[in-house]
Amino acid sequence: MTYLWLALAFIAAAATAGVLLTRNATGGRLATDGQRGGQHAGNAGRHWKAAGLAFAALVVLTAVFDSIMIGMELFHYDPGHILGLRIGLAPVEDFAYPLAAALALPGLWIWLTRKRQGTSTVEDASGSPRKGLISQAFLASRPVSWINTAYPFAAAMLLTTREIDWVLVAGTLYFLVPYNLAMYGINDVFDYASDLKNPRKGGIEGALLEPRLHRPMLWLAAVTNLPFLLVLGFAGGPATWLALAVSAFAVVAYSAAGLRFKERPVLDSMTSSTHFVSPAVVGLTLSGATMTPGLVVLLAAFFMWGMAAHAFGAVQDIEPDRQADIASIATVFGARRTVRTAVVLWLLAGLAMLATPWPGPLAAVIALPYILNCAPWWNVTDSTAARTNVAWRRFIWLNYGSGFLVTLILILQWNTVP
């Protein structure tokens, strides 16, 4: 079988799923009057236009990224199994996977997060449709941020071992989904009071979990995390056990009642940063990496980046957090001081990268977009803090651009180390 036929089969399945999911989800959001058909067509049209724009962006990234990897001879294709058409150095078959993603994933997202209509829908006390555990768990896990924890683990382990084995696959899957489900799901359970007052909740930035789902969400987080923790612990030694213990404790301690590190200013940012740095540390311990001074500086830079991200993200929630009596770094320091702290931490993270072995210093420039995104709010006040959500939404997408640049640096690292 050639790559083309395999790609076409994959695209056909994705297209079928995308059309069915989109039709079901957009149709379920419409009124039952005579304009239903026109509204449905309008919703579907906007959906496919957005999917097309997403695919265009993915085409550019795939062409650049794959051309670089092929040019560095990281992999190659058997000429007898491809058409020979290329965009840059990337065979046209490479673009089947972003096309499949653009066709299927948006439909899956709106289907899982849809609001069910009709007489059979059970409503909660507020009159809103009741939602199922699986769809809410998916939303609560923040799919847009899954890569932020899986990537550090996979990169740390792959660069050390230079091979793909079952431990790498299992760990990447764990830090991709179950870990995020626990981290954010537990948070959404114990932050319900403040989330009710937070207009950001209920979409891409987190679920608004109904009380009836709180206990099931905690059980789901436990049963999806414990098996992976046991398997990874079995694959490693004492250093891995310690790293996994710290990582799991930070996930629980940040939100759970009785610990609530998120209500201890500065410690809240440190704990949040641990959520993203600890997967890298787990990967390093599993691969038997040696903790050189350069590696320690790199992890310290990553840790400061994580603290800055948390601090800046807390600014937009000052009002709902204060209404719920939550003492975060932002509610205690105030919006202005917190923003300035975030800018300084990003600056220090960038400067720290200059002290790492080549090609690490190249990553210093990655701090600049975050600083430029945050700096306009240098003089923000507590009364206008909610407006920083605009910059926070940009921050979410900046992570993808930064990940792309980091990947290029890691590829350079791969080729410079014998």
Side-chain angles (χ1 to χ4, degrees):
M1 177 181 289
T2 65
Y3 297 134
L4 176 62
W5 287 110
L6 181 62
L8 289 177
F10 194 57
I11 291 172
T16 301
V19 169
L20 293 176
L21 290 170
T22 302
R23 179 177 299 174
N24 181 288
T26 56
R29 290 178 174 172
L30 303 175
T32 58
D33 59 21
Q35 296 181 337
R36 180 185 178 101
Q39 290 175 330
H40 177 86
N43 281 356
R46 287 190 293 271
H47 167 80
W48 291 115
K49 181 179 179 180
L53 292 174
F55 175 61
L58 290 172
V59 165
V60 174
L61 292 175
T62 301
V64 174
F65 189 64
D66 285 16
S67 292
I68 290 173
M69 291 193 294
I70 293 170
M72 290 183 170
E73 298 183 349
L74 296 182
F75 61 87
H76 69 280
Y77 292 88
D78 185 340
H81 289 167
I82 60 176
L83 288 176
L85 299 176
R86 296 177 181 268
I87 299 178
L89 297 178
V92 69
E93 289 85 354
D94 266 8
F95 299 88
Y97 305 103
L99 176 58
L103 289 171
L105 293 183
L108 177 62
W109 172 263
I110 63 174
W111 183 78
L112 286 171
T113 60
R114 73 195 185 283
K115 295 180 179 179
R116 297 175 176 85
Q117 302 286 342
T119 56
S120 62
T121 300
V122 179
E123 296 184 342
D124 61 20
S126 67
S128 300
R130 297 182 71 176
K131 302 174 182 179
L133 175 62
I134 300 303
S135 63
Q136 286 300 281
F138 180 80
L139 191 61
S141 68
R142 317 294 201 272
V144 73
S145 298
W146 285 355
I147 193 67
N148 294 340
T149 48
Y151 188 98
F153 170 84
M157 191 167 181
L158 185 59
L159 284 174
T160 304
T161 64
R162 292 182 170 252
E163 62 181 26
I164 298 176
D165 58 14
W166 72 267
V167 179
L168 175 62
V169 173
T172 301
L173 289 174
Y174 169 62
F175 286 110
L176 186 70
V177 184
Y179 181 81
N180 282 286
L181 175 63
M183 178 166 60
Y184 293 117
I186 293 172
N187 180 259
D188 286 346
V189 168
F190 289 98
D191 277 9
Y192 182 69
S194 63
D195 286 350
L196 283 173
K197 303 177 178 66
N198 195 331
R200 295 195 301 117
K201 299 302 180 178
I204 193 175
E205 297 181 69
L208 184 60
L209 290 178
E210 300 168 14
R212 68 184 180 86
L213 295 178
H214 288 181
R215 185 179 295 274
M217 180 65 72
L218 296 178
W219 275 108
L220 183 61
V223 301
T224 55
N225 275 257
L226 287 176
F228 280 98
L229 290 172
L230 292 173
V231 168
L232 294 177
F234 176 79
T240 300
W241 304 341
L242 177 61
L244 286 171
V246 170
S247 181
F249 177 75
V251 165
V252 175
Y254 182 78
S255 303
L259 294 169
R260 295 291 286 175
F261 283 10
K262 72 167 294 174
E263 295 194 47
R264 304 175 189 273
V266 181
L267 182 59
D268 58 348
S269 292
M270 294 176 67
T271 307
S272 177
S273 186
T274 301
H275 294 160
F276 301 97
V277 178
S278 62
V281 176
V282 171
L284 292 171
T285 60
L286 281 170
S287 59
T290 301
M291 285 293 176
T292 63
L295 184 55
V296 171
V297 171
L298 187 152
L299 291 173
F302 189 14
F303 193 82
M304 287 187 285
W305 178 92
M307 287 187 64
H310 175 273
F312 184 60
V315 172
Q316 62 192 322
D317 292 331
I318 284 180
E319 183 176 349
D321 281 352
R322 283 179 175 164
Q323 291 176 0
D325 294 323
I326 293 177
S328 70
I329 186 173
T331 61
V332 173
F333 282 17
R336 186 173 301 171
R337 288 180 60 192
T338 305
V339 167
R340 294 178 179 182
T341 298
V343 171
V344 170
L345 284 170
W346 271 315
L347 177 61
L348 291 175
L351 293 175
M353 289 305 301
L354 296 175
T356 61
W358 181 262
L362 293 175
V365 72
I366 297 175
L368 292 179
Y370 295 98
I371 294 172
L372 293 174
N373 184 48
C374 184
W377 303 96
W378 187 262
N379 292 316
V380 68
T381 63
D382 288 7
S383 61
T384 60
R387 299 177 186 174
T388 60
N389 178 251
V390 175
W392 178 252
R393 285 179 172 264
R394 283 197 297 266
F395 166 85
I396 293 174
W397 299 111
L398 277 175
N399 289 341
Y400 285 89
S402 298
F404 174 70
L405 295 176
V406 167
T407 300
L408 295 181
I409 294 171
L410 294 181
I411 290 173
L412 181 59
Q413 166 75 10
W414 182 284
N415 285 275
T416 54
V417 176

